[in-house]
Amino acid sequence: MSKRALLLKIAQDLRASYWFIPATLVLVALALAHGSEWLDRNVELIPFQLPDALTDTQVDGARSTLSTIATAVIGVTGVMFSMTIVAVSFAAGNYGPRLIGNFMRDRGNQISLGVLIATFVYALSILRAVQDPSEAAGVEAFVPQYSMLIAMLGSIVAVFTMIYFVHHVPETINVSNITANLGRRLEREIINIIEADAALDPKPKVRYPERDPDYLFTLEAAGYIQTLNYTRIEELTAEADWHIRIEKVPGDFVTPFTPALAVWTKDDISQDAIEELRACFAVGVSRTEHQNVLFLVDELVEMLARALSPGVNDPFTAINCLNWMHNALKTAQNYQQGLGDAGAGKYHLGPRLTYDELFKRSFLASQPYCKTDHLALAHYEKKARDLERG
């Protein structure tokens, strides 16, 4: 049974999670600590020797150094985490709660947190290995010199990570950067759709039988469709000689009683085939931009609407949003052959994005908000005239 849709959803969730990369780096730090400690206990296997100045740390000095590194790093990590929460709260309150995923997916934030936590865990792991000499127990003094050097290097990396993070957080909540990030992703997704449509093999237009569907399948779950395995549905259509019409696509909300697929067939459909069809869908609690380019448009419109609200009153942010929506529409008009009259799509059975739909969800949806501000309205009319010229 195909679980590709579920796997894609899990991959998207992991990408949007704030814990996956830090947790991975912690595991790497534990493995590195184990390996470096083993190497320190088997120094004769190392083909070279470091200068004595780098390997003459004593037991007390090693413990003090490692304790200082661990204490300082975990303290900085707490401050960084607090900065991230403040930044996310600020962005959600001012630009829209649906933008939280953009901050959670930010690789700079994830890696910064991971590097600091990994450094803390590594220092603690090596601190445990340092041993005092004990004649009664027959234990010799042991200081993992090479592990100490790695811990020192890790602390230096942590310092530069902190510097980077302090610079990066203000950049992530800069409204110009947020709109530019959304606008570029929207432009890139439109280009991908146009290129994918041009690469599709010629195929006759699907003609459905002139009768009610033989089967209407629900997903037996409530939520937003986040991922849909179009390729597998097309394969099943060819293998079983079915006619399948996709009723709900990524971004749509479904209930356990909402038909998501309509199927015409000459034979009965087995329970395994039904489960196979349902497995092509993955449902979650929120909309995502994966396979749903209009979600990016909605985010820009939401930012524009909030910017022009009486509580914010920021027409220049609204103008910035209009500029990036205008850029996306110009791309839809002029890149290669554009979206064309019939629109473009990545799959034969998938939805087709049309210029009219893109225009309605972006510029027309923004028009009522722009009418409340003369600066935004003047810019809206200017860009609308430019779009009419093509």
Side-chain angles (χ1 to χ4, degrees), residues 47-364:
F48 59 88
Q49 295 296 323
L50 293 177
D52 292 340
L54 298 178
T55 57
D56 61 353
T57 307
Q58 302 303 311
V59 172
D60 291 340
R63 283 181 170 165
S64 297
T65 301
L66 292 171
S67 298
T68 301
I69 291 174
T71 303
V73 167
I74 199 62
V76 170
T77 303
V79 174
M80 287 176 55
F81 184 75
S82 300
M83 289 175 62
T84 303
I85 296 300
V86 170
V88 170
S89 300
F90 175 82
N94 287 273
Y95 310 137
R98 273 150 292 280
L99 293 172
I100 289 179
N102 297 318
F103 296 95
M104 301 300 286
R105 281 191 297 268
D106 187 271
R107 286 286 184 256
N109 294 339
Q110 295 175 2
I111 292 174
S112 297
L113 180 64
V115 167
L116 291 179
I117 294 179
T119 303
F120 167 74
V121 170
Y122 182 85
L124 281 186
S125 300
I126 300 305
L127 181 60
R128 177 195 59 82
V130 178
Q131 294 178 346
D132 276 324
S134 174
E135 293 182 2
V139 176
E140 296 182 357
F142 175 69
V143 177
Q145 302 288 352
Y146 289 93
S147 299
M148 282 288 302
L149 288 176
I150 295 175
M152 291 296 296
L153 290 174
S155 67
I156 294 173
V157 172
V159 168
F160 282 102
T161 300
M162 180 188 66
I163 295 171
Y164 162 78
F165 188 81
V166 170
H167 166 78
H168 183 67
V169 168
E171 289 290 312
T172 59
I173 63 174
N174 183 297
V175 66
S176 296
N177 292 335
I178 294 174
T179 52
N181 185 31
L182 289 173
R184 290 194 181 100
R185 278 155 46 200
L186 176 59
E187 177 190 16
R188 184 166 60 249
E189 187 59 27
I190 292 172
I191 289 174
N192 290 340
I193 290 174
I194 294 173
E195 291 178 346
D197 186 75
L200 284 177
D201 296 330
K203 188 175 181 179
K205 184 178 180 181
V206 179
R207 297 185 180 276
Y208 298 103
E210 296 181 358
R211 68 176 193 275
D212 292 337
D214 297 306
Y215 295 91
L216 286 173
F217 293 119
T218 65
L219 303 182
E220 298 183 337
Y224 291 94
I225 298 175
Q226 293 183 340
T227 305
L228 177 50
N229 189 352
Y230 293 101
T231 303
R232 183 56 184 157
I233 289 181
E234 292 178 357
E235 291 174 353
L236 290 171
T237 301
E239 292 171 4
D241 194 22
W242 296 338
H243 287 86
I244 298 180
R245 184 174 67 209
I246 298 173
E247 303 288 347
K248 297 297 179 180
V249 297
D252 290 340
F253 186 86
V254 295
T255 71
F257 313 101
T258 304
L261 284 175
V263 181
W264 289 263
T265 178
K266 299 176 182 177
D267 305 313
D268 293 335
I269 299 180
S270 66
Q271 187 61 35
D272 289 342
I274 293 174
E275 294 301 323
E276 180 84 3
L277 287 170
R278 284 181 176 146
C280 293
F281 291 82
V283 178
V285 298
S286 61
R287 296 170 64 203
T288 68
E289 64 189 69
H290 180 60
Q291 296 185 334
N292 181 19
V293 64
L294 293 177
F295 180 67
L296 294 170
V297 179
D298 292 342
E299 286 185 299
L300 283 171
V301 173
E302 181 181 8
M303 285 191 65
L304 179 144
R306 284 176 173 267
L308 294 177
S309 65
V312 179
N313 192 25
D314 181 9
F316 297 101
T317 293
I319 289 172
N320 204 15
C321 292
L322 287 172
N323 287 335
W324 285 106
M325 284 188 276
H326 174 262
N327 174 68
L329 289 167
K330 294 295 284 187
T331 302
Q333 283 181 335
N334 301 304
Y335 182 78
Q336 293 184 0
Q337 301 301 317
L339 292 178
D341 296 334
K346 293 183 177 182
Y347 307 94
H348 289 294
L349 293 180
R352 300 186 69 80
L353 178 66
T354 64
Y355 178 82
D356 288 343
E357 182 180 21
L358 190 62
F359 184 81
K360 290 176 183 177
R361 290 288 286 268
S362 56
F363 258 61
L364 285 188

